Every structure is written in C-alpha cells, then in structure tokens.
Amino acid sequence: MSSSEMPNFRGTTVLAVRKDNHVAIGGDGQVTHGAVVLKGTAHKIRKLKGGQLIGFAGSTADAFSLMERFEGKLDEYKNNLRKAGVAMAKEWRTDRMLRRLEAMLVAADRESLILITGQGDVVEPEDGILAIGSGGPYALAAARALHKHTRFSAKEIVTHALHEAAAICIYTNDNLVVEELT
C-alpha cells in the first residue's frame, strides 16, 4: 500500500521491529487536535492478555474499540495473530459501524508482525519493520538504516528511530513507551 493510499494520522508515531527472535513496538506520547498538543504522555502501545503487543495510530476512542474487538478475535482464533488479524480486517471493512472508525493497528507476537487497516489490509513486512502515523515514514527510514548498519537490538532500534522521528515530525514527541517480546 503506498503512502498516498494510507490515511494520514497526525499526532502519533508507532514503530515495530522484529530482529533475532525479538520484537519491540514503541510509540510516542503526543496527542494532538489540529495544531494543539492535548497530551504528551499517552500510551499507544499495549500488552494484550494473550501476550501479544499492539500499537495504534488515529482516533484514540476508535483505536480502543478496535483493540477490544481484536482481543476478542484473538480469543476466538486461539491467539493465532494472523488469523485474528484477517478476521478483524474483514469485519472492520464490512461492518457499517466499524468502517467509520479511523485508526490503524500494528500487532505482534513471537511469530508474526502485522499491520491491520480498515481498508481490509493485513500486511506482514518482508523486513520485519512496520511504522504508522504521521512520523511513521521517518521512523521507518531510521529503523531500516539502524537494522542494516548496527548491531542494535529490536528495542534499541525502535527507541533510536523514534527519537529521530520526534526530531523531525512536529506531531511526534520523544516521550516514548517501548514494549518488547523476547
């Protein structure tokens, strides 16, 4: 999916990296409404009850609704992240009420890392790196360079790349929350 087809969510950056059997997802803490910063310490990354990690970009209320539904899908599909992601994307795209929700989700477990969108997309990156939100392209570029040219762990790559995104994107701050599965 090209960046011109992705919704432009302002006010967040979420980055996920898989490296050496570890996965880390991190997000900044800034919440904006237009050009106004409403909060600088939001937590956009959650550890789910089944041990998965999830991060979101977009409307906070919409994202929380989607995360609850996704947890239900994980229960339904016995914690199979890929199957739950496909079921979630299908429901999100076809349900009249869900279609109106404006958010994107990045989810990970020990075997999978996926992006789930309201357009019905479930994307697993070839290089093990995903980024969403307004600072996503900056974090993605930094993470890819760090992944190729350093020996940093997944968590270190996420942390350093998010700091780089925060230095460039006015909708991203450097108050980070980073969770890791090892």
Side-chain angles (χ1 to χ4, degrees):
M1 175 181 292
S2 74
S3 60
S4 65
E5 295 169 338
M6 294 282 236
N8 184 17
F9 294 118
R10 288 190 226 152
T12 197
T13 302
V14 172
L15 174 65
V17 174
R18 174 180 298 289
K19 183 177 181 184
D20 300 329
N21 296 320
H22 293 93
V23 64
I25 299 180
D28 76 305
Q30 186 162 296
V31 176
T32 60
H33 182 71
V36 176
V37 176
L38 297 177
K39 184 176 182 176
T41 58
H43 290 249
K44 302 168 191 170
I45 309 301
R46 299 281 190 269
K47 218 172 221 181
L48 301 179
K49 63 185 174 190
Q52 304 85 357
L53 295 175
I54 194 163
F56 66 87
S59 165
T60 304
D62 291 355
F64 281 121
S65 294
L66 291 166
M67 284 192 299
E68 286 176 12
R69 285 190 181 249
F70 185 64
E71 266 196 301
K73 294 293 180 195
L74 284 167
D75 287 342
E76 183 179 339
Y77 289 95
K78 298 178 177 48
N79 289 325
N80 184 314
L81 193 80
R82 287 183 185 119
K83 285 184 179 181
V86 169
M88 178 70 200
K90 180 180 176 183
E91 183 177 333
W92 191 352
R93 183 180 175 122
T94 58
D95 184 275
R96 289 181 71 198
M97 293 302 289
L98 286 179
R99 260 196 319 246
R100 297 179 186 182
L101 299 183
E102 296 182 7
M104 295 176 78
L105 302 175
V106 172
D109 62 15
R110 286 177 171 63
E111 291 80 39
S112 304
L113 171 60
I114 58 174
L115 167 70
I116 308 167
T117 74
Q119 289 78 38
D121 300 306
V122 179
V123 179
E124 191 163 4
E126 293 175 345
D127 62 0
I129 304 171
L130 280 174
I132 57 175
S134 58
Y138 311 116
L140 181 65
R144 284 181 173 166
L146 290 167
H147 192 273
K148 284 181 187 174
H149 302 291
T150 71
R151 294 177 190 245
F152 288 160
S153 69
K155 186 173 185 176
E156 290 170 320
I157 291 170
V158 167
T159 302
H160 288 295
L162 285 173
H163 281 296
E164 291 302 315
I168 298 169
C169 179
I170 63 169
Y171 295 106
T172 302
N173 71 13
D174 61 359
N175 185 359
L176 308 179
V177 172
V178 180
E179 294 281 350
E180 183 178 33
L181 296 176
T182 57

